[in-house]
Amino acid sequence: MAPAFRRHLVPGVLLAGALLMPAPMAQQRGATPELPLTHAPISGLDQHTLVLGQFETSQDLTSPGGSTEVKTTFSISPLGIFGSKSLRVPPETAGVAIHKLSGFNPDQGTIEMWVNPTFTVDPARQYLFSLEGRRSLDGDAHSDLIVGETNVSPSTNDTIIYFGTPTGLDLFNPTTIETQTTRGLGMADFDGDGDLDLMISNNQGDTLTSPVTTTLGEIQRHDGPFLGGQDRNGPDMVYEVDEPQGLAVADFDAEDGPDFVAASYRPVSPALIGFSNNGSGTLAPTFASLGVEHVTSAEGVAVGDVNNDGVLDILYGSFSAQPSYMMPGFLIAGEYGFSEGLKSSRSNETLGVSIGDVTGDGWPDAVLAQPLFDNGPGEVPGRLAIHVNDGAGGFSSTPEIRIKTPRPFTVSATKDIDNDGHLDILVANWRFGPITIPSSTAYLGPFVPGSPGAPPKLEFLVDDGVATAMGDLDGDGIDDLFIHSSTAFASPVFLLDENGVSKAGQDGLSRNLPSYMLPTLPTAGNVAGEGAGAMVAQVGGTTTYGTHLDASNSFELYVEDGNIVFAVTDDTGVRHATTAPFPARSAPDMQNGFHHIQAQWRAADGLVELRVGHPDNPGNVYPRIPAVPFDVDAVSPVFRLGSDSENQRRPAGWRMDDVRISTVVRSGQDADSDGWEDDWDNCPYLHNPDQADWNDDGIGDGCRTCQPDLGVPGAGSLSITLCGEPLYRGGVALLTVSGSPPGVPVLLLTGPVAAPRPFRGGMLVPSPVQGVTAMRSDAFGRLEVTVPGGTHGSDTEVVILQAVAPDATQPGGLSLSNALAVERLP
């Protein structure tokens, strides 16, 4: 049996009884023989399906809000698979598609798309789709804000947790934790009980009695669950680290649960010390030790896979004359360690550090904040030093990109603040002598080595910023900002729109205004340093002084080393994935250079499945085996196309067409019980297990219906047919126009009544003419248009359809076709 041939559908619009096919949405096909397609019909999509590509302007096919809430979608030429515009993802264009999902059910669904690599596929990971998870300290779907406090002395102060609600942060019922000069923060389920725990760097911590320590400083762990209104004074676990600053939480050894690495500010201590989890919540210092060249005052620490080997690497900033280092990680027999690494004496005296692909080439770069850097006479000190990844995880000792910025205290390069598809760099700008600097800065990517002039930026009104936190604080799926001041008694929260602009507006100097202020303590003059820790508690939340890596409740679909991977990470952080080979360019199911990809999941029975190519071939279905049930909790209301959830990795040179996200597991539906799933059944409403299709047009013989011809002769050789599934059953049919002169406009006329009257040597049938759609015939004088059926209503409506084309061979100068009485439901 020939493979089912499924043409794509262009929705018609029913206006006052006329079948009107708007020109921007109508498809036209020439006489070139078409290869068999595999494609799911429009029928079967549920109310939570979100569609883009050639369907972007069709509101009836999107979830509420749907495509009207697309932030950045770029249509390009050449055309996509069905003659429509396809979408290209960065870096070829300046953006990545961002959509808001409404009512998304993370327990089951289907991600479907046609993809086309326009040149050689990069062996590095190339993301096609991602959906970020949510995970908060109190276990709900709403992000929390953690604000570390200190004051002008290193005495005990509270770290404050503001819990998220559906309408934003609850500012009146916070939880307080007694701490001593908070710096780095991180959250994870360290003890495996299902509740998130909070890890805090206490730079001046002094609760340890055994072993007796002579130096202040410790990492304190506070175990969940957390509830609003608590006062938590004592830690559950304490780990000895001298004067800790930076803190990075991640599963470094990829087993036994989350670990952490801390950076020590004490000048005579090793810069880094790592603690590994044994799987039951016990953490011990087991990471590789460092040599004497790494005895320095370390500040910020950042984590990422800079060489794409699947093992996390560590960057730390040295706030002394000693160099800062990038430390490549390695795994030996399940044990994590880091090597001596790559150093940069040009990036010493560094406070904040971050890892992010700020150049947009798919390889994470190193970003360091140097608040004391001398820019010369009359210049305010301070710069950002960006060491660009060489494409193999290597870095030069000299930064390739240098950006002057006033006294950068801490820095984050892990978020896309203006949602244009490129990572931005958020800087907390510190004070300059007795004069405060009234704003902190977001520099907007991409960052290009050697580019003249300063990059574009957004400024946020705050005095003397020392700490930043980014994450969604108002539940709209867009990241917001908190910036801690070192001199004021209140610090601002900025609720941002999709362009990175404060919803509270801007002042006359284009500085973003705070949405509201939180009471905070000034830190200026503290002998232990003027910084303070802060983070937004959500999956992927950024932190001051560190990195928080957690992929819980997330989805990703990517291509790597010639394979396509679909992975769902459940609510406990366990990854469920399946892999399929990415088809070659010569694959028989390829259409116009595009390959069909369908990824679906069902948490209840552990289904995680990929379908690549035509499903008639069982070898094209790749399930995860064994299928183990899992749970997925809250996800972000925004998904990203052509990027991971943090915009760290993006596919270069890929096009996408007809992307669908649905809460239906589509391959499981068989409405007519004929053994053929609705996605692939050529008569989805008629029991036809033989799938007979004499002309291989994707419409089975059993449900093929031709709309009635009214028998009115035309003028010339122009003729039309409309055959396929009955339109009154929601089916699809193919409108064929033939006999036209080649390459001329063809008008499709529609009206509610058949009233033939003489016109230019023929008979004009629709009356009154209510719809006119102009198309163009191909070199063979033909065109084809797919026509959808109506919804399931009660009254069948008849629409009169006729074609007209200019024809110099006819006495009246026109060819008029026969007329059809098209029956469909409104």
Side-chain angles (χ1 to χ4, degrees), residues 658-694:
D658 187 33
V659 180
R660 305 175 181 210
I661 317 299
S662 176
T663 59
V664 171
V665 181
R666 294 160 60 80
S667 66
Q669 300 179 89
D670 182 12
D672 56 6
S673 302
D674 62 1
W676 288 87
E677 297 157 354
D678 291 352
D679 286 3
W680 318 110
D681 193 342
N682 62 19
C683 286
Y685 303 109
L686 179 74
H687 186 84
N688 65 330
D690 61 0
Q691 293 289 286
D693 183 8
W694 72 274

Side-chain angles (χ1 to χ4, degrees), residues 333-411:
E335 295 291 328
Y336 178 85
F338 37 70
S339 65
E340 289 303 314
L342 306 167
K343 65 181 178 180
S344 174
S345 58
R346 305 291 182 90
S347 293
N348 60 5
E349 295 185 332
T350 290
L351 275 172
V353 300
S354 190
I355 293 176
D357 176 22
V358 298
T359 57
D361 61 359
W363 291 88
D365 309 299
V367 182
L368 301 95
Q370 297 179 281
L372 307 180
F373 187 84
D374 186 359
N375 288 312
E379 296 277 356
V380 177
R383 76 169 184 179
L384 299 181
I386 303 175
H387 295 260
V388 176
N389 197 315
D390 65 5
F395 298 87
S396 68
S397 60
T398 301
E400 288 85 356
I401 303 174
R402 296 167 291 277
I403 301 172
K404 292 181 182 179
T405 188
R407 296 276 191 173
F409 199 96
T410 53
V411 63

Side-chain angles (χ1 to χ4, degrees), residues 370-554:
Q370 297 179 281
L372 307 180
F373 187 84
D374 186 359
N375 288 312
E379 296 277 356
V380 177
R383 76 169 184 179
L384 299 181
I386 303 175
H387 295 260
V388 176
N389 197 315
D390 65 5
F395 298 87
S396 68
S397 60
T398 301
E400 288 85 356
I401 303 174
R402 296 167 291 277
I403 301 172
K404 292 181 182 179
T405 188
R407 296 276 191 173
F409 199 96
T410 53
V411 63
S412 175
T414 62
K415 291 284 189 178
D416 178 13
I417 295 172
D418 61 351
N419 295 296
D420 69 346
H422 297 287
L423 289 181
D424 308 312
I425 300 177
L426 178 64
V427 182
N429 291 109
W430 193 24
R431 74 182 191 283
F432 176 50
I435 303 173
T436 62
I437 296 170
S439 64
S440 286
T441 313
Y443 295 95
L444 306 179
F447 300 85
V448 181
S451 293
K457 64 183 180 180
L458 294 168
E459 291 189 310
F460 297 90
L461 193 61
V462 57
D463 277 345
D464 299 328
V466 292
T468 64
M470 275 187 286
D472 180 15
L473 297 176
D474 57 3
D476 66 351
I478 303 299
D479 287 323
D480 307 304
L481 304 182
F482 166 78
I483 304 178
H484 200 301
S485 170
S486 70
T487 53
F489 283 88
S491 297
V493 172
F494 300 89
L495 302 178
L496 305 183
D497 66 15
E498 292 175 331
N499 298 303
V501 175
S502 173
K503 294 178 181 178
Q506 297 178 325
D507 67 7
L509 298 177
S510 298
R511 296 175 300 189
N512 287 285
L513 299 173
S515 298
Y516 55 86
M517 305 292 290
L518 291 180
T520 55
L521 294 174
T523 65
N526 191 312
V527 296
E530 299 191 10
M535 74 173 289
V536 174
Q538 67 179 43
V539 172
T542 61
T543 71
T544 304
Y545 295 108
T547 302
H548 165 68
L549 297 182
D550 183 4
S552 303
N553 302 314
S554 64

Side-chain angles (χ1 to χ4, degrees), residues 44-115:
L45 300 183
D46 70 342
Q47 68 271 25
H48 299 315
T49 298
L50 190 148
V51 187
L52 67 129
Q54 63 182 307
F55 289 130
E56 272 184 274
T57 56
S58 177
Q59 296 302 309
D60 58 329
L61 290 180
T62 61
S63 59
S67 62
T68 63
E69 300 187 38
V70 176
K71 165 58 183 172
T72 330
T73 300
F74 289 88
S75 298
I76 62 160
S77 292
L79 298 181
I81 179 171
F82 298 105
S84 67
K85 291 182 178 180
S86 61
L87 307 174
R88 178 170 281 174
V89 293
E92 279 67 32
T93 61
V96 60
I98 301 172
H99 291 252
K100 294 181 180 178
L101 300 174
S102 61
F104 183 81
N105 175 14
D107 290 332
Q108 66 174 19
T110 302
I111 303 163
E112 183 180 10
M113 61 179 68
W114 288 84
V115 297

